[in-house]
Amino acid sequence: MAKKGRVFSGIRPTGRAHLGNYLGAFKNYVALQEDYECVYCIVDLHALTTVEDTLNLKQNTYDLALDLLAVGIRPEETILFVQSHVPQVTELHILLSMVTPLGKLTELPTFKEMVRHNPNNVNYGLVGYPVLMSADILLYKTDLVPVGIDQAPHLEFARETVRSFNYRYNTNVLIEPQMKAAEVQKVLGIDGKEKMGKSLNNHIELAATPEETRQRVMMMVTDPQRMKRTDPGNPDVCNVFTLHKVFTPKEDVEMINVECRRAGIGCVDCKKRFAESLNKTLEPFRAKRAEIAAQPDLVPAVLADGADRARAIAEKTMQEVREAVQLP
Ligand code: SF4
């Protein structure tokens, strides 16, 4: 069936993925494959802007690729590759930087936030992050980029960069990508307060064993007003209930919704049920992950093939770009 266009998305190599990655991005990545030609890039160069110790970079890249394949990314049709394996992106980055006013970069809210988080490491790469991101997207003549509302300014930046470049060099070689508003689900961590993430150690890894998963679930914070088993609870403010709605059969969710409010079910039992639902959902993922991991050459081969296919598109774009810029 003919695809509707090309989708691009970059994913930072943060190692083994967690529930937040799955619900916030991966689930959508898998679904997009049905209708679009998908290009998914593990952005190791971007990671260098904030990661000082690169000791785990290779392993993290491997683990992320393994999780993506296990979750349902189909490398026969989707291009899955590592950013630094396609050096054309750094060439486009430098050319795009020539049409990018510095003030525009330092005014971006995301830059200011990054500076707040890394006050001792405000490097040139951090400032130019959106330019490299634009190069990622534009190199593959992307039609659509799935983004949540918080990333919308970056996509708008890429679109403006296209206009500046095409105007400066009197060309139409770069195309403006459109935003594909993604249903990004913000997943709270087991603390029930902050967004799930590794840095806060409030995550549940997809590849954890069933027992490890159960232990993490039992640590989850529930309705903070419910102090005793006999107190009625409020599922509307409980993160366990929010996740039950994603992973637990509907009739059980309805039962919990009613019983929690009249103290008919306790939080310990409720969490045990959630751990069961989650483990059941993750069973096929774990089986597939183990199967792929048992073939150590498979992930590197997928990434090498992805890089070959990505490079072919990238080089074609760069030939047009070099010509437009009139590089000798
Ligand atoms: Fe949350 Fe379940 Fe406890 Fe209700 S019973 S507060 S839904 S964990």
Side-chain angles (χ1 to χ4, degrees):
M1 197 180 70
K3 301 278 182 177
K4 291 185 197 162
R6 185 176 288 158
V7 159
F8 176 93
S9 190
I11 317 145
R12 282 174 84 100
T14 47
R16 286 159 58 131
H18 54 72
L19 223 47
N21 300 128
Y22 174 66
L23 295 176
F26 295 3
K27 213 173 153 189
N28 191 32
Y29 288 164
V30 173
L32 284 167
Q33 294 178 121
E34 301 307 320
D35 293 324
Y36 297 94
E37 182 194 346
C38 297
V39 180
Y40 296 141
C41 175
I42 301 179
V43 290
D44 55 342
L45 296 174
H46 281 298
L48 297 181
T49 53
T50 51
V51 173
E52 285 177 46
D53 181 359
T54 54
L55 202 64
N56 297 320
L57 192 57
K58 269 192 186 150
Q59 186 63 44
N60 285 346
T61 300
Y62 174 90
D63 285 342
L64 176 61
L66 176 57
D67 280 348
L68 284 165
L69 294 173
V71 104
I73 297 304
R74 300 190 289 269
E76 321 78 53
E77 50 195 279
T78 289
I79 299 180
L80 176 66
F81 72 105
V82 178
Q83 187 184 27
S84 66
H85 294 179
V86 182
Q88 284 85 350
V89 77
T90 53
E91 186 184 357
L92 184 57
H93 170 227
I94 196 75
L95 294 176
L96 296 181
S97 73
M98 306 303 170
V99 296
T100 306
L102 186 58
K104 209 163 133 186
L105 290 168
T106 52
E107 279 311 305
L108 280 173
T110 40
F111 172 71
K112 290 180 179 167
E113 199 186 319
M114 279 175 158
V115 172
R116 252 199 313 278
H117 286 132
N118 303 281
N120 301 320
N121 186 21
V122 185
N123 54 60
Y124 169 74
L126 200 62
V127 185
Y129 192 102
V131 187
L132 183 57
M133 194 183 270
S134 300
D136 282 323
I137 297 167
L138 305 179
L139 194 55
Y140 302 101
K141 302 243 173 156
T142 301
D143 298 302
L144 293 164
V145 183
V147 286
I149 205 74
D150 54 333
Q151 291 164 318
H154 275 163
L155 187 63
E156 193 45 43
F157 178 91
R159 290 163 54 82
E160 283 171 20
T161 304
V162 170
R163 294 196 283 272
S164 303
F165 182 92
N166 285 353
Y167 179 76
R168 163 86 74 94
Y169 297 110
N170 192 23
T171 179
N172 57 8
V173 57
L174 297 182
I175 57 170
E176 281 188 48
Q178 303 298 317
M179 175 170 163
K180 173 138 184 65
E183 276 181 43
V184 177
Q185 189 174 349
K186 186 179 171 190
V187 182
L188 296 181
I190 60 173
D191 53 14
K193 272 195 241 147
E194 304 286 342
K195 191 175 166 189
M196 188 177 282
K198 283 191 172 178
S199 56
L200 296 172
N201 191 23
N202 67 356
H203 61 296
I204 299 175
E205 269 185 10
L206 296 180
T209 64
E211 181 49 27
E212 286 164 350
T213 303
R214 203 188 63 82
Q215 284 173 13
R216 294 295 274 179
V217 168
M218 296 316 286
M219 288 162 66
M220 286 179 80
V221 173
T222 63
D223 171 6
Q225 300 296 321
R226 194 176 190 196
M227 310 301 271
K228 303 191 299 294
R229 168 68 181 81
T230 47
D231 290 343
N234 179 4
D236 300 335
V237 298
C238 175
N239 189 31
V240 177
F241 188 68
T242 304
L243 291 174
H244 260 305
K245 287 192 272 188
V246 183
F247 293 102
T248 301
K250 205 164 166 256
E251 51 287 6
D252 291 354
V253 174
E254 278 163 15
M255 179 279 288
I256 292 165
N257 193 18
V258 172
E259 294 302 323
C260 170
R261 292 176 201 274
R262 60 179 186 207
I265 183 170
C267 292
V268 171
D269 281 343
C270 188
K271 287 197 268 190
K272 278 184 188 161
R273 278 173 179 265
F274 173 57
E276 268 172 39
S277 306
L278 184 56
N279 275 328
K280 200 162 174 212
T281 310
L282 290 175
E283 244 169 52
F285 164 82
R286 288 181 186 133
K288 190 158 182 205
R289 193 180 193 278
E291 190 188 310
I292 300 168
Q295 308 164 66
D297 296 338
L298 188 64
V299 171
V302 164
L303 294 177
D305 176 62
D308 283 346
R309 286 150 66 202
R311 262 194 306 270
I313 303 170
E315 183 48 32
K316 191 162 177 293
T317 304
M318 283 315 296
Q319 281 171 11
E320 295 168 12
V321 166
R322 289 177 204 124
E323 204 169 305
V325 176
Q326 303 199 41
L327 288 174

